[in-house]
Amino acid sequence: MWCKDCRRETNESVCEFCGRQTTADIPAEIYRCPSCNTPIIRYPVDIDRHRCPVCSGKAVYMASDMRPVFPEERLLIEILLDKPMEFHKKSVWANTNKYYIDGETINISKKHYKKYSPEYIISKLEEYKSQNTYEYFDQHISKFIEANRSRLNYIIDEAHTFIQKEAEKYPRENIVLSFSGGKDSTVTADLAAKALSDPSMVHIFGNTTLEFPLTLEYAARFRENNPKAIFRSAQNKEQDFYSVCEDIGPPARMMRWCCSMFKTGPITRILNRYYKDINILTFYGIRKCESVSRSKYNRVEDNAESVKIQKQKVASPIFLWQDLDIWLYILGEKIDFNDAYRLGYDRVGCWCCPNNNDRAQFLSSIYMPEQYKKWHNFLVDFAKKIGKPDPEVYIDTGKWKARQGGNGLEASQDIKIRYTNCTVEDNAKIYQLNRAVDDELLGMFTPFGKVSKELGRKLINETIVLDIKTQTPIISIQPFTQEGYEYSVKIKTMNVAKHDDLQRMIGYQIKKFNACRKCLKCESLCHFGAISIVGDTYYIDSEKCKRCKMCVTAKYLEGGCLMEKYLRTKE
């Protein structure tokens, strides 16, 4: 165990000195040898952490983590500093916005990004492009690999052992690699193929339609360079990102509906198509140090609350790796990677993600000017639509990323469950609908039991839901006319111990019927592949459904529908 505050090892879960929680893993740190002019990855408990493995000189602490700065990004930084080509021969590394030039630090702040117009920067990049070679960069990287050779061998051996141990529990055909086109999934794919001596493994590429152009180029290159690999692309071809943004608002940091609609949902469809009810093992490129939320994950995860796509166990061979470990592997093993990293991006998910930092937005204005302007203009128009007094400031300061709920959006009305208690029958409610009762609504009652029109009273178009075990009627569904409601349905519960609990879950299905935006979350949630969105229809296969009720349980689906999180407003 490790106490990060006291920087000491202990056998206790709580530090005996400071009383704070300890962690199971000891984080690596970056030291620098001034003579060799290169970063060295060490643990703070290593006895020889201050000794350079190349020249035996004294190494000094540098940072908690860092990444290499490729010549393309280095030139960009030089232009911002009015020093084109000045650092061409130097060893340049970075940690967030702090750059290390031969060990000397330079901070690049937001003001630097606003110093020149994108057009001016583009012209300067073109002017010095021919001079900006890899000659000196390659020399520095060779020294870096030499200094960290033992570290590279260690992390490879450990990752291979982990992969082999987890894989032996599954048939080879039930093992999948999650491939995003980013550096982490690239390393994970390479590790797994080598650890299992299998170049023909299944790779699932989630094309969100919001990928960097360079990501799509790299994915195509990966397929060409790995002809034996089985490569499947998952893409939502039914939805248009901008149209959905117009309806329910752009994604925000705490409201990334796009992940379910354009990533996990389409991937779920691919898995359902090829694996049906089979449980699989997926190797992911997730790392603990990437974010606070990921730091709470386990290296191997199959908990229903933690795994976004059910029917799979996920395992991350690189869970404890630092950023510099990733680059040590890529450069040391000489594997191809996404060229977006050369430009200065430190993550290459969706190019317009609200989690992108100021540098990523700045880079997009230079390397993707048309897409950047379209997105910026949309955001400004959206800010006007929801009544922001100064739309440009709201967008340029990044406040749109902190947006919560559906304030100012007409769609927010769809998630509000409006009902009245029936004055004639006990345990009956009359729910407002935004369209007439149809087979889609009736099918949404499948998780509660067997839906039967035949057993209902024909004169009132009643449908009965039977308990799947006892075949006892538990729900009555009846189209209804209620004053003040254009469309409504009367739902009565019977022969159950907890009427309120059942009505609450029924309310969740009413919410789905009114508010469904085909986000595909329900498809990802179902273990058995019973839920699917067919065209504009929400469909539950009664033969596949096991009546586990995960899809109507708030523990797994807050408010019974993902739109509840994205569209709710304060009354």
Side-chain angles (χ1 to χ4, degrees), residues 260-273:
S260 176
M261 188 176 293
F262 291 100
K263 188 176 181 180
T264 57
I267 291 174
T268 297
R269 288 180 165 180
I270 290 289
L271 295 179
N272 285 339
R273 184 187 309 166

Side-chain angles (χ1 to χ4, degrees), residues 158-328:
E158 195 280 333
H160 282 184
T161 301
F162 172 82
I163 290 168
Q164 292 161 358
K165 180 181 177 182
E166 293 303 320
E168 68 183 11
K169 305 169 188 175
Y170 289 79
R172 188 59 55 84
E173 60 270 21
N174 294 354
I175 299 176
V176 171
L177 294 170
S178 178
F179 183 82
S180 69
K183 64 184 188 302
D184 294 347
S185 68
T186 292
V187 169
T188 299
D190 194 71
L191 283 167
K194 291 175 179 175
L196 301 177
S197 301
D198 187 354
S200 61
M201 298 180 70
V202 176
H203 296 64
I204 306 293
F205 172 54
N207 181 358
T208 63
T209 73
L210 302 169
E211 307 297 330
F212 289 93
L214 288 173
T215 299
L216 298 179
E217 289 178 18
Y218 171 60
R221 206 163 61 238
F222 183 90
R223 296 184 70 170
E224 184 179 340
N225 294 337
N226 297 273
K228 293 184 178 180
I230 300 171
F231 198 92
R232 296 288 180 265
S233 182
Q235 180 178 338
N236 185 342
K237 297 181 180 179
E238 300 167 12
Q239 298 274 47
D240 173 71
F241 175 70
Y242 278 95
S243 297
V244 181
C245 286
E246 189 70 41
D247 180 28
I248 64 176
R253 286 196 181 105
M254 302 302 293
M255 303 196 309
R256 298 199 307 280
W257 50 260
C258 45
C259 292
S260 176
M261 188 176 293
F262 291 100
K263 188 176 181 180
T264 57
I267 291 174
T268 297
R269 288 180 165 180
I270 290 289
L271 295 179
N272 285 339
R273 184 187 309 166
Y274 290 104
Y275 296 97
K276 301 187 184 302
D277 295 334
I278 299 172
N279 286 319
I280 62 172
L281 171 66
T282 301
F283 284 115
Y284 266 31
I286 291 176
R287 291 187 295 120
K288 183 176 182 178
C289 66
E290 286 182 283
S291 66
V292 174
S293 60
R294 291 190 174 185
S295 69
K296 299 175 183 177
Y297 290 179
N298 295 311
R299 195 178 188 186
V300 179
E301 195 74 78
D302 59 2
N303 184 293
E305 294 179 65
S306 302
V307 178
K308 293 180 181 178
I309 301 174
Q310 300 303 310
K311 80 192 308 174
Q312 66 173 340
K313 175 186 283 188
V314 298
S316 181
I318 61 171
F319 187 62
L320 299 176
W321 287 28
Q322 305 281 83
D323 243 20
L324 198 54
D325 286 325
I326 296 293
W327 286 112
L328 175 61

